Amino acid sequence: QRFAFSFNFYPYFDPSYKLDSGTTDQCTQALTSAAGFTGSCQVPASVALARGKIRQVSGNANSLFWVGETGWSSPKAHSLGTQMQWCPEWSSTDVFEKYYRDFLDWDIDAGGASAPDHVFYFDVRDSFQYGVAEKFGLIETCMSAKCKIRSANYTSPYNDMFTQEAQSMPWYKWAWLGLGCVVLAALLLTCVVVRVRKGRELRSLQLGSSSGGAASGAGGGKKWGGGGGGAAAPAAASAEADELT
């Protein structure tokens, strides 16, 4: 097949979830449905519904169907605007871990004909969406030495490596500073050269205009002199005619 139907499922952002009745910061009931992949939990139920809609549109019960993204945020995503923003447990590390572990254990074939062909987890690292921080990553940044999900006494073998690497390259930041200075100097030099060339071109144009004006004036004087000489010739011829008479 030439394409696949792809859907993203994020119970984390579902505005239909409400705080537990009579509380202002508890969401146990919502978590039972949202943070799981078994039974009537939201993601498996949404997958079955999406498969049915695909069948209605394509008329093909075997169309490729991918779950493009699903994930959970911890700490709380800045873009979370539902009632769940008031529930500390909703964005806790414990729920974050549970959601990821349940995703890994999810038997997608148990959905039978509704099962998706592929599923993808979001995300490897935290990210920004249109400038808004979201904390869905299993690690915080690409340089993180530890995963968010880890034992309390876990020590990363990469901590010492990153420290030694940073200590062995003190010149690194100075190299970037030097490169920046070279680029700035090149830009300034380019500006100076351009201004000098434009100045020379302007002076050349001005000198050319002045020379042209002087030549025009000299040519006009010669023309006037020629005219005077031409007027004297008829006068001399008239005098010779009088003497003959």
Side-chain angles (χ1 to χ4, degrees):
Q1 300 183 39
R2 298 178 60 187
F3 66 91
F5 291 90
S6 179
F7 292 82
N8 300 337
F9 299 113
Y10 284 101
Y12 182 83
F13 289 118
D14 191 338
S16 67
Y17 288 120
K18 308 298 180 183
L19 294 172
D20 292 344
S21 179
T23 71
T24 58
D25 61 354
Q26 301 298 310
C27 53
T28 303
Q29 185 174 356
L31 283 170
T32 301
S33 170
F37 290 85
T38 58
S40 59
C41 290
Q42 189 190 112
V43 172
S46 297
V47 165
L49 180 62
R51 174 62 81 178
K53 295 299 181 181
I54 292 172
R55 188 180 300 112
Q56 291 178 7
V57 171
S58 67
N60 183 1
N62 298 315
S63 296
L64 285 178
F65 171 27
W66 294 0
V67 176
E69 295 179 9
T70 189
W72 203 266
S73 180
S74 181
K76 183 176 68 177
H78 292 181
S79 53
L80 180 63
T82 68
Q83 287 191 16
M84 296 301 102
Q85 64 183 305
W86 310 116
C87 178
E89 187 180 6
W90 186 261
S91 300
S92 66
T93 303
D94 289 341
V95 174
F96 178 81
E97 178 179 351
K98 177 184 183 304
Y99 193 87
Y100 183 60
R101 289 189 183 279
D102 287 354
F103 172 82
L104 296 178
D105 294 336
W106 182 19
D107 182 9
I108 59 175
D109 292 332
S114 299
D117 296 285
H118 293 284
V119 294
F120 300 88
Y121 191 83
F122 184 89
D123 195 4
V124 173
R125 58 173 174 79
D126 293 346
S127 60
F128 286 85
Q129 299 293 336
Y130 305 102
V132 179
E134 293 186 346
K135 308 295 184 178
F136 285 78
L138 297 173
I139 58 176
E140 294 177 351
T141 70
C142 291
M143 295 301 294
S144 296
K146 298 179 180 179
C147 295
K148 292 181 183 178
I149 304 172
R150 60 180 184 271
S151 303
N153 59 350
Y154 174 76
T155 301
S156 171
Y158 296 101
N159 283 342
D160 293 338
M161 184 186 72
F162 287 152
T163 301
Q164 293 173 2
E165 184 177 358
Q167 292 177 348
S168 65
M169 295 193 304
W171 53 269
Y172 195 70
K173 61 180 180 180
W174 297 110
W176 280 108
L177 179 61
L179 179 61
C181 291
V182 170
V183 172
L184 180 60
L187 289 174
L188 292 175
L189 180 60
T190 301
C191 291
V192 170
V193 171
V194 170
R195 289 179 64 88
V196 169
R197 288 184 177 178
K198 285 186 176 181
R200 288 178 178 176
E201 292 175 359
L202 182 60
R203 285 194 294 273
S204 297
L205 291 174
Q206 291 174 345
L207 291 174
S209 299
S210 299
S211 299
S216 176
K222 291 179 180 179
K223 185 176 181 180
W224 179 262
S238 178
E240 291 176 358
D242 291 340
E243 292 177 359
L244 293 174
T245 302

